[in-house]
Structures are given as C-alpha cells and as structure tokens.
Short mmCIF file of all heavy atoms in Angstrom, two decimals:
data_model
loop_
_atom_site.label_atom_id
_atom_site.label_comp_id
_atom_site.label_asym_id
_atom_site.label_seq_id
_atom_site.Cartn_x
_atom_site.Cartn_y
_atom_site.Cartn_z
N ALA R 55 -85.06 61.29 -153.29
CA ALA R 55 -85.34 61.57 -151.90
C ALA R 55 -84.71 62.92 -151.47
O ALA R 55 -83.88 63.43 -152.24
CB ALA R 55 -84.82 60.44 -151.00
N VAL R 56 -85.00 63.36 -150.28
CA VAL R 56 -84.25 64.42 -149.69
C VAL R 56 -83.14 63.79 -148.87
O VAL R 56 -83.41 62.94 -147.98
CB VAL R 56 -85.13 65.31 -148.77
CG1 VAL R 56 -84.27 66.32 -148.03
CG2 VAL R 56 -86.20 65.97 -149.59
N TYR R 57 -81.92 64.17 -149.18
CA TYR R 57 -80.74 63.59 -148.50
C TYR R 57 -80.26 64.56 -147.44
O TYR R 57 -79.99 65.76 -147.73
CB TYR R 57 -79.63 63.31 -149.50
CG TYR R 57 -79.93 62.13 -150.35
CD1 TYR R 57 -80.92 62.09 -151.34
CD2 TYR R 57 -79.19 60.91 -150.19
CE1 TYR R 57 -81.20 61.00 -152.11
CE2 TYR R 57 -79.44 59.80 -150.96
CZ TYR R 57 -80.45 59.87 -151.89
OH TYR R 57 -80.72 58.72 -152.67
N SER R 58 -80.02 64.05 -146.22
CA SER R 58 -79.54 64.90 -145.14
C SER R 58 -78.33 64.25 -144.53
O SER R 58 -78.22 63.00 -144.45
CB SER R 58 -80.60 64.98 -144.06
OG SER R 58 -81.81 65.58 -144.52
N CYS R 59 -77.38 65.10 -144.10
CA CYS R 59 -76.23 64.63 -143.43
C CYS R 59 -76.45 64.79 -141.89
O CYS R 59 -77.22 65.64 -141.46
CB CYS R 59 -74.94 65.22 -143.84
SG CYS R 59 -74.70 66.92 -143.47
N ALA R 60 -75.73 63.97 -141.12
CA ALA R 60 -75.88 63.97 -139.67
C ALA R 60 -74.51 63.72 -139.05
O ALA R 60 -73.64 63.10 -139.65
CB ALA R 60 -76.90 62.91 -139.21
N ALA R 61 -74.37 64.28 -137.83
CA ALA R 61 -73.12 64.09 -137.07
C ALA R 61 -73.38 63.56 -135.69
O ALA R 61 -74.34 63.92 -135.04
CB ALA R 61 -72.44 65.45 -137.00
N LYS R 62 -72.46 62.68 -135.27
CA LYS R 62 -72.56 62.12 -133.90
C LYS R 62 -71.17 62.25 -133.26
O LYS R 62 -70.17 61.85 -133.82
CB LYS R 62 -72.91 60.67 -133.93
CG LYS R 62 -72.81 59.97 -132.55
CD LYS R 62 -73.12 58.52 -132.60
CE LYS R 62 -72.80 57.88 -131.27
NZ LYS R 62 -73.63 58.45 -130.17
N TYR R 63 -71.15 62.86 -132.04
CA TYR R 63 -69.90 62.96 -131.32
C TYR R 63 -69.44 61.59 -130.88
O TYR R 63 -70.16 60.88 -130.19
CB TYR R 63 -70.03 63.88 -130.14
CG TYR R 63 -68.73 63.97 -129.32
CD1 TYR R 63 -67.76 64.84 -129.73
CD2 TYR R 63 -68.53 63.15 -128.26
CE1 TYR R 63 -66.54 64.92 -129.02
CE2 TYR R 63 -67.36 63.19 -127.54
CZ TYR R 63 -66.35 64.10 -127.90
OH TYR R 63 -65.19 64.17 -127.26
N THR R 64 -68.19 61.22 -131.22
CA THR R 64 -67.65 59.94 -130.79
C THR R 64 -66.23 60.10 -130.27
O THR R 64 -65.67 59.11 -129.78
CB THR R 64 -67.62 58.93 -131.95
OG1 THR R 64 -66.75 59.41 -133.00
CG2 THR R 64 -69.00 58.70 -132.56
N GLY R 65 -65.63 61.21 -130.39
CA GLY R 65 -64.23 61.39 -130.06
C GLY R 65 -63.34 61.04 -131.25
O GLY R 65 -63.79 60.47 -132.23
N ARG R 66 -62.05 61.36 -131.12
CA ARG R 66 -61.17 61.20 -132.28
C ARG R 66 -60.96 59.77 -132.65
O ARG R 66 -60.56 59.48 -133.82
CB ARG R 66 -59.82 61.93 -131.99
CG ARG R 66 -59.92 63.42 -131.99
CD ARG R 66 -58.55 64.04 -132.02
NE ARG R 66 -58.64 65.51 -131.98
CZ ARG R 66 -58.84 66.24 -133.06
NH1 ARG R 66 -59.01 65.66 -134.21
NH2 ARG R 66 -58.90 67.55 -132.93
N VAL R 67 -60.96 58.84 -131.73
CA VAL R 67 -60.70 57.47 -132.04
C VAL R 67 -61.95 56.61 -131.89
O VAL R 67 -61.88 55.39 -131.82
CB VAL R 67 -59.59 56.88 -131.12
CG1 VAL R 67 -58.30 57.58 -131.40
CG2 VAL R 67 -59.94 57.00 -129.68
N GLY R 68 -63.13 57.23 -131.91
CA GLY R 68 -64.36 56.48 -131.79
C GLY R 68 -64.66 55.63 -133.01
O GLY R 68 -64.39 56.03 -134.12
N THR R 69 -65.26 54.48 -132.76
CA THR R 69 -65.63 53.58 -133.89
C THR R 69 -67.14 53.45 -133.96
O THR R 69 -67.67 52.79 -134.86
CB THR R 69 -65.04 52.18 -133.69
OG1 THR R 69 -65.48 51.64 -132.43
CG2 THR R 69 -63.54 52.22 -133.68
N SER R 70 -67.89 54.15 -133.07
CA SER R 70 -69.33 54.07 -133.11
C SER R 70 -69.84 54.66 -134.40
O SER R 70 -69.39 55.68 -134.84
CB SER R 70 -69.90 54.85 -131.95
OG SER R 70 -71.34 54.88 -131.99
N LEU R 71 -70.82 53.92 -135.01
CA LEU R 71 -71.37 54.39 -136.28
C LEU R 71 -72.80 53.93 -136.31
O LEU R 71 -73.14 52.88 -136.94
CB LEU R 71 -70.58 53.80 -137.42
CG LEU R 71 -70.83 54.40 -138.86
CD1 LEU R 71 -70.67 55.87 -138.82
CD2 LEU R 71 -69.85 53.76 -139.81
N PRO R 72 -73.72 54.64 -135.70
CA PRO R 72 -75.07 54.25 -135.65
C PRO R 72 -75.72 54.21 -137.03
O PRO R 72 -75.30 54.99 -137.95
CB PRO R 72 -75.79 55.30 -134.78
CG PRO R 72 -74.69 55.94 -134.05
CD PRO R 72 -73.46 55.86 -134.91
N VAL R 73 -76.67 53.38 -137.23
CA VAL R 73 -77.41 53.31 -138.49
C VAL R 73 -78.82 53.74 -138.32
O VAL R 73 -79.70 53.56 -139.25
CB VAL R 73 -77.37 51.89 -139.11
CG1 VAL R 73 -75.90 51.56 -139.46
CG2 VAL R 73 -77.97 50.84 -138.16
N THR R 74 -79.19 54.33 -137.16
CA THR R 74 -80.52 54.90 -136.99
C THR R 74 -80.38 56.39 -136.69
O THR R 74 -79.38 56.88 -136.13
CB THR R 74 -81.23 54.22 -135.78
OG1 THR R 74 -80.49 54.43 -134.60
CG2 THR R 74 -81.42 52.73 -136.02
N ALA R 75 -81.44 57.12 -137.09
CA ALA R 75 -81.41 58.55 -136.93
C ALA R 75 -81.27 59.01 -135.50
O ALA R 75 -80.65 59.99 -135.16
CB ALA R 75 -82.71 59.14 -137.53
N ALA R 76 -81.82 58.19 -134.56
CA ALA R 76 -81.79 58.54 -133.12
C ALA R 76 -80.34 58.59 -132.61
O ALA R 76 -80.12 59.19 -131.56
CB ALA R 76 -82.59 57.55 -132.37
N GLY R 77 -79.41 58.00 -133.28
CA GLY R 77 -78.08 57.94 -132.86
C GLY R 77 -77.27 59.18 -133.13
O GLY R 77 -76.10 59.29 -132.73
N TYR R 78 -77.84 60.17 -133.83
CA TYR R 78 -77.10 61.35 -134.29
C TYR R 78 -77.51 62.61 -133.57
O TYR R 78 -78.69 62.74 -133.18
CB TYR R 78 -77.19 61.49 -135.78
CG TYR R 78 -76.41 60.40 -136.48
CD1 TYR R 78 -76.96 59.10 -136.67
CD2 TYR R 78 -75.07 60.62 -136.87
CE1 TYR R 78 -76.19 58.08 -137.25
CE2 TYR R 78 -74.30 59.58 -137.37
CZ TYR R 78 -74.89 58.34 -137.60
OH TYR R 78 -74.13 57.34 -138.11
N ASP R 79 -76.57 63.52 -133.37
CA ASP R 79 -76.79 64.68 -132.56
C ASP R 79 -77.14 65.93 -133.38
O ASP R 79 -77.85 66.79 -132.90
CB ASP R 79 -75.52 64.99 -131.76
CG ASP R 79 -75.02 63.79 -130.95
OD1 ASP R 79 -75.85 63.24 -130.25
OD2 ASP R 79 -73.83 63.46 -131.02
N TYR R 80 -76.58 66.00 -134.59
CA TYR R 80 -76.79 67.24 -135.39
C TYR R 80 -77.19 66.84 -136.78
O TYR R 80 -76.76 65.85 -137.36
CB TYR R 80 -75.50 68.09 -135.47
CG TYR R 80 -75.00 68.46 -134.08
CD1 TYR R 80 -73.94 67.75 -133.49
CD2 TYR R 80 -75.51 69.49 -133.38
CE1 TYR R 80 -73.46 68.11 -132.21
CE2 TYR R 80 -75.07 69.84 -132.12
CZ TYR R 80 -74.07 69.12 -131.56
OH TYR R 80 -73.63 69.48 -130.31
N TRP R 81 -78.00 67.72 -137.38
CA TRP R 81 -78.56 67.48 -138.69
C TRP R 81 -78.50 68.68 -139.61
O TRP R 81 -78.64 69.81 -139.09
CB TRP R 81 -80.06 67.06 -138.57
CG TRP R 81 -80.18 65.68 -137.95
CD1 TRP R 81 -80.21 65.42 -136.64
CD2 TRP R 81 -80.34 64.44 -138.63
NE1 TRP R 81 -80.35 64.09 -136.42
CE2 TRP R 81 -80.42 63.47 -137.65
CE3 TRP R 81 -80.37 64.08 -139.97
CZ2 TRP R 81 -80.57 62.11 -138.00
CZ3 TRP R 81 -80.47 62.76 -140.27
CH2 TRP R 81 -80.59 61.78 -139.30
N GLY R 82 -78.33 68.45 -140.88
CA GLY R 82 -78.46 69.51 -141.88
C GLY R 82 -79.89 69.59 -142.33
O GLY R 82 -80.75 68.81 -141.97
N GLN R 83 -80.18 70.60 -143.24
CA GLN R 83 -81.48 70.85 -143.72
C GLN R 83 -81.91 69.88 -144.86
O GLN R 83 -83.11 69.67 -145.10
CB GLN R 83 -81.65 72.28 -144.16
CG GLN R 83 -81.54 73.30 -143.01
CD GLN R 83 -82.70 73.13 -142.08
OE1 GLN R 83 -83.87 73.07 -142.48
NE2 GLN R 83 -82.38 73.06 -140.75
N GLY R 84 -80.94 69.35 -145.54
CA GLY R 84 -81.21 68.39 -146.60
C GLY R 84 -81.12 69.02 -147.94
O GLY R 84 -81.19 70.25 -148.17
N THR R 85 -80.89 68.14 -148.94
CA THR R 85 -80.84 68.55 -150.37
C THR R 85 -81.61 67.52 -151.17
O THR R 85 -81.52 66.34 -150.93
CB THR R 85 -79.35 68.64 -150.75
OG1 THR R 85 -79.33 69.16 -152.17
CG2 THR R 85 -78.64 67.32 -150.78
N GLN R 86 -82.35 68.02 -152.17
CA GLN R 86 -83.23 67.15 -152.93
C GLN R 86 -82.43 66.47 -154.07
O GLN R 86 -81.70 67.16 -154.78
CB GLN R 86 -84.36 67.99 -153.54
CG GLN R 86 -85.28 67.22 -154.49
CD GLN R 86 -86.14 66.21 -153.73
OE1 GLN R 86 -86.74 66.51 -152.71
NE2 GLN R 86 -86.24 64.98 -154.26
N VAL R 87 -82.62 65.18 -154.18
CA VAL R 87 -82.10 64.44 -155.32
C VAL R 87 -83.25 63.80 -156.05
O VAL R 87 -84.07 63.09 -155.45
CB VAL R 87 -81.12 63.33 -154.83
CG1 VAL R 87 -80.74 62.41 -155.96
CG2 VAL R 87 -79.85 63.99 -154.20
N THR R 88 -83.37 64.11 -157.34
CA THR R 88 -84.42 63.50 -158.13
C THR R 88 -83.77 62.75 -159.32
O THR R 88 -82.97 63.33 -160.03
CB THR R 88 -85.35 64.62 -158.67
OG1 THR R 88 -85.91 65.30 -157.55
CG2 THR R 88 -86.48 63.98 -159.44
N VAL R 89 -84.16 61.51 -159.46
CA VAL R 89 -83.65 60.71 -160.52
C VAL R 89 -84.78 60.31 -161.45
O VAL R 89 -85.76 59.64 -161.00
CB VAL R 89 -82.95 59.39 -159.99
CG1 VAL R 89 -82.40 58.59 -161.10
CG2 VAL R 89 -81.88 59.72 -158.95
#
C-alpha cells in the first residue's frame, strides 16, 4: 500500500487518538510499500 503519516493537535497531555482519517489535521504525501 501507500503509507501516509498524519498529525492531530491534541496538546501536550492529550490522550485523543482517532482511528479515522477525518480526525487528523495534517498529512504527508505517502511512501510506497510493496511486499
């Protein structure tokens, strides 16, 4: 797949950890992984 990282602002002591893409604010371009 193409793997992308994402960031969500939560503050320094935030415990929020969304598991859906809509929960994230910033995205990278992605890197291809082929197995």
Side-chain angles (χ1 to χ4, degrees):
V56 175
Y57 285 70
S58 299
C59 69
K62 172 183 172 60
Y63 177 83
T64 64
R66 289 193 182 277
V67 293
T69 58
S70 175
L71 193 53
V73 296
T74 62
Y78 289 84
D79 307 310
Y80 303 100
W81 291 84
Q83 292 297 310
T85 185
Q86 176 71 45
V87 171
T88 302
V89 183

